[in-house]
């Protein structure tokens, strides 16, 4: 049984939850999910989802799920037990079943151990000048566009590009492929939404084909011409592990390369766009941070807390259990709501205030065995970019609020943020 603490669960009105979810998906909800999270939290720490399973809304309950041994990720075996074949057998869904966030021990432990910490202090220090140079080049593009047109899209020009250039550089992917990778990543992600529609699954299926073709060819080319890069290292490692089974080695290398690439893109882009949006919508914030660059890391943490790029993450009860007083049967899904957790006033006082010096708590990179592998890299990109933005563009400001992709609930995407100087 799980320790319950002072958190509390409730059973709830199904229609109220459906209406809140509809609002969360709408343009208004995407632009400002805070009141919706608050309403969901007011229904309890554990709120029944309309299609079965539960939403987990409070910080402590979310943390308990992410870190507790009672909870597993929805893996292939679980997927096979689900009645909704159309969803779980869809090609784009199946493609994710061998990736890290869908593996439990011992396979997950084995892959994480093999990867170690790919962004340890020494690696990040070595990557820093390159990330700074990439940021500087992209800000040159921004400057050119601002000079030519008076305004520019920060997302398209910079926020989506820096994560792509960084991970591309790290894995040795040629820049001519970046636009295609970004494009299939945006389309593939629909299959990972809470309730993808038939047509979304079809879009994701096509993106999956393109994604598989791209990474399979990349790995084949790297086998033919090994380099001194991370991907070559993974090929050596997994070939040595499966000396008589090239197909299995290739499968693991594909799953890792594909997933780490796509996991690093939209998430970091949202962090970068949000940081610029939150800082420049109130010019006094950006001005203050320019005078106090020692707080750039704090500004990044507050951005991560205030608006997590991933809204929802799911876990499965490994056994019958109790969460926040609510009995939960083995195999039931619970959806952890990162944003709601970070705005829980029992954890962060006055959570709706964006306060750079708050030193608040968040679960934006998850927790436990599945804690985000690229958190340190995302923070590095944000640090390098923000420092340069503040220095080079002291009068940068938004022309309009960001535009969101409103077909998402799980993976937030800012489609555009128009800026001017
Ligand atoms: C602001 C940027 C990012 C955010 C908000 C983010 C968020 C997350 C979250 C919420 C998880 C799930 C954690 C859990 O289940 O407990 C995760 C997992 C993961 N992330 Fe990130 N991520 C970001 C950037 C990156 C980057 C840059 C990379 C790689 C270069 C990356 C690679 C991964 C991988 C491989 C996993 C799966 C870990 C596992 O299941 O063992 N992420 N991330």
């Amino acid at each position: 049984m799980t320790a319950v603490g002072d958190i509390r669960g409730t059973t709830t009105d199904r229609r109220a939850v459906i209406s809140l979810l509809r609002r969360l998906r709408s343009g208004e909800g995407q632009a400002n999910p805070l009141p919706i999270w608050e309403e969901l939290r007011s229904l309890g720490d554990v709120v029944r989802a309309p299609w079965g399973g539960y939403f987990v809304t409070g910080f402590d309950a979310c943390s308990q799920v992410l870190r507790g041994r009672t909870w597993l990720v929805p893996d292939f075996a679980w997927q096979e037990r689900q009645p909704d074949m159309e969803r779980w057998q869809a090609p784009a869904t199946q493609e994710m079943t061998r990736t890290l966030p869908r593996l439990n021990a011992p396979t997950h432990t084995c892959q994480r151990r093999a990867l170690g910490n790919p962004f340890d202090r020494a690696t990040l220090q070595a990557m820093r000048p390159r990330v700074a140079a990439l940021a500087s080049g992209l800000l040159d593009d921004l400057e050119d566009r601002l000079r030519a047109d008076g305004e520019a899209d920060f997302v398209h020009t910079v926020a989506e590009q820096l994560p792509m250039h960084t991970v591309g550089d790290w894995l040795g992917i040629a820049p001519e492929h970046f636009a295609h990778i970004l494009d299939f990543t945006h389309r593939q992600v629909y299959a990972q939404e809470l309730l993808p529609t038939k047509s979304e699954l079809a879009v994701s299926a096509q993106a999956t084909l393109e994604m598989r073709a791209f990474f399979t060819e990349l790995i084949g080319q790297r086998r033919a011409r090994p380099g001194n890069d991370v991907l070559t290292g993974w090929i050596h490692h997994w070939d040595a592990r499966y000396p008589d089974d090239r197909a299995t080695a290739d499968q693991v290398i594909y799953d890792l390369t594909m997933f780490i690439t796509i996991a690093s893109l939209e998430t970091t882009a949202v962090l970068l766009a949000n940081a610029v949006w939150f800082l420049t919508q109130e010019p006094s914030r950006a001005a203050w941070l320019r005078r106090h660059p020692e707080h750039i890391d704090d500004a990044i943490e507050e951005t991560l807390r205030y608006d997590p790029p991933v809204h929802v993450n799911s876990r499965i009860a490994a056994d019958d259990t109790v969460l926040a007083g609510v009995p939960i049967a083995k195999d039931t899904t619970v959806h952890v709501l990162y944003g709601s957790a970070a705005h829980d006033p029992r954890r962060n006082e006055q959570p709706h205030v964006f306060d750079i010096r708050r030193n608040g708590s968040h679960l934006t990179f998850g927790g436990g065995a599945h804690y985000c592998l690229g958190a340190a890299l995302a923070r590095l990109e944000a640090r390098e970019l923000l420092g340069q933005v503040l220095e080079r563009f002291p009068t940068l400001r938004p022309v309009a609020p960001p535009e969101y992709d409103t077909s998402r609930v799980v993976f937030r995407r800012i489609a555009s943020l128009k800026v001017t100087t």
Side-chain angles (χ1 to χ4, degrees):
M1 289 278 175
T2 314
V4 177
D6 67 346
I7 45 185
R8 106 216 113 80
T10 48
T11 47
T12 32
D13 175 357
R14 190 168 175 271
R15 270 174 311 174
V17 179
I18 291 174
S19 149
L20 284 170
L21 291 175
R22 276 216 189 96
R23 277 173 56 204
L24 195 58
R25 215 176 133 128
S26 70
E28 177 209 338
Q30 289 286 312
N32 184 16
L34 274 53
I36 303 169
W37 290 333
E38 198 170 323
E39 280 186 54
L40 271 167
R41 245 188 353 265
S42 76
L43 298 175
D45 282 301
V46 177
V47 175
R48 191 179 281 282
W51 52 85
Y54 294 88
F55 289 107
V56 190
T57 67
F59 188 98
D60 287 351
C62 287
S63 177
Q64 200 170 307
V65 169
L66 292 171
R67 298 190 167 99
R69 286 174 184 272
T70 323
W71 304 96
L72 300 174
V73 296
D75 59 10
F76 183 71
W78 176 85
Q79 203 167 287
E80 291 289 291
R81 295 196 291 275
Q82 301 314 298
D84 182 1
M85 300 294 275
E86 197 167 15
R87 163 142 195 214
W88 296 107
Q89 302 290 328
T93 316
Q94 290 278 323
E95 197 75 359
M96 288 294 133
T97 53
R98 294 173 312 265
T99 61
L100 282 167
R102 305 295 301 280
L103 298 174
N104 288 302
T107 316
H108 179 260
T109 323
C110 164
Q111 290 202 9
R112 284 288 294 232
R113 275 205 193 119
L115 284 167
N117 179 1
F119 305 111
D120 61 12
R121 197 181 283 263
T123 309
L124 286 183
Q125 217 165 349
M127 289 179 82
R128 204 185 67 80
R130 182 68 186 139
V131 174
L134 290 171
S136 169
L138 294 170
L139 291 177
D140 290 345
D141 295 345
L142 182 73
E143 198 172 312
D144 289 347
R145 280 176 196 231
L146 288 170
R147 201 175 295 124
D149 303 330
E151 63 176 53
D153 184 349
F154 189 80
V155 172
H156 184 71
T157 316
V158 181
E160 280 193 340
Q161 301 301 329
L162 184 59
M164 184 65 257
H165 282 69
T166 302
V167 79
D169 205 63
W170 183 65
L171 289 172
I173 301 173
E176 74 223 40
H177 301 298
F178 291 173
H180 185 212
I181 297 173
L182 284 169
D183 181 42
F184 63 60
T185 301
H186 294 322
R187 289 180 284 127
Q188 208 287 335
V189 85
Y190 290 121
Q192 300 171 60
E193 275 297 321
L194 281 182
L195 294 175
T197 61
K198 250 186 195 181
S199 60
E200 283 170 344
L201 286 175
V203 168
S204 290
Q206 174 57 33
T208 299
L209 289 178
E210 295 169 34
M211 188 173 82
R212 195 184 304 159
F214 175 78
F215 285 106
T216 305
E217 193 177 333
L218 177 76
I219 293 161
Q221 284 172 354
R222 201 58 53 86
R223 277 195 180 287
R225 281 185 299 283
N228 184 21
D229 57 77
V230 183
L231 178 50
T232 303
W234 291 345
I235 292 172
H236 289 325
H237 177 92
W238 292 100
D239 280 358
R241 196 144 191 151
Y242 297 106
D244 305 318
D245 187 355
R246 170 66 71 84
T248 301
D250 267 341
Q251 184 66 60
V252 179
I253 298 160
Y254 165 77
D255 293 332
L256 287 174
T257 314
M258 172 273 280
F259 185 74
I260 290 179
T261 304
I262 67 171
S264 72
L265 298 178
E266 287 191 350
T267 49
T268 313
V270 171
L271 165 64
L272 303 179
N274 262 343
V276 164
W277 162 238
F278 293 146
L279 291 172
T280 58
Q281 65 175 277
E282 295 251 355
S284 61
R285 275 185 200 152
W288 182 86
L289 196 56
R290 196 172 306 111
R291 290 195 307 277
H292 300 279
E294 70 279 11
H295 286 291
I296 286 181
D297 282 353
D298 296 329
I300 295 166
E301 290 316 300
E302 179 63 346
T303 303
L304 286 164
R305 181 197 74 83
Y306 199 84
D307 188 4
V310 182
H311 269 176
V312 187
N313 196 356
S314 303
R315 295 282 200 267
I316 307 299
D319 283 305
D320 292 350
T321 187
V322 175
L323 179 67
V326 177
I328 295 182
K330 179 178 158 87
D331 254 10
T332 304
T333 315
V334 297
H335 306 292
V336 168
L337 296 178
Y338 291 116
S340 170
H343 286 260
D344 183 341
R346 292 167 293 181
R347 174 58 63 147
N348 293 309
E349 267 178 37
Q350 294 195 289
H352 295 3
V353 176
F354 183 88
D355 176 1
I356 293 175
R357 282 177 292 179
R358 117 177 357 256
N359 195 18
S361 309
H362 65 73
L363 301 166
T364 299
F365 290 116
H370 289 270
Y371 184 81
C372 173
L373 200 72
L377 180 63
R379 287 179 167 124
L380 173 72
E381 289 177 47
R383 193 178 306 130
E384 294 306 319
L385 182 69
L386 276 192
Q388 293 189 37
V389 166
L390 291 168
E391 211 169 280
R392 284 181 61 175
F393 299 90
T395 58
L396 191 78
R397 61 186 190 281
V399 173
E403 283 171 26
Y404 298 87
D405 182 341
T406 52
S407 52
R408 323 277 199 92
V409 170
V410 174
F411 293 98
R412 206 153 164 65
R413 180 180 173 214
I414 299 181
S416 158
L417 173 61
K418 296 269 167 52
V419 292
T420 188
T421 48

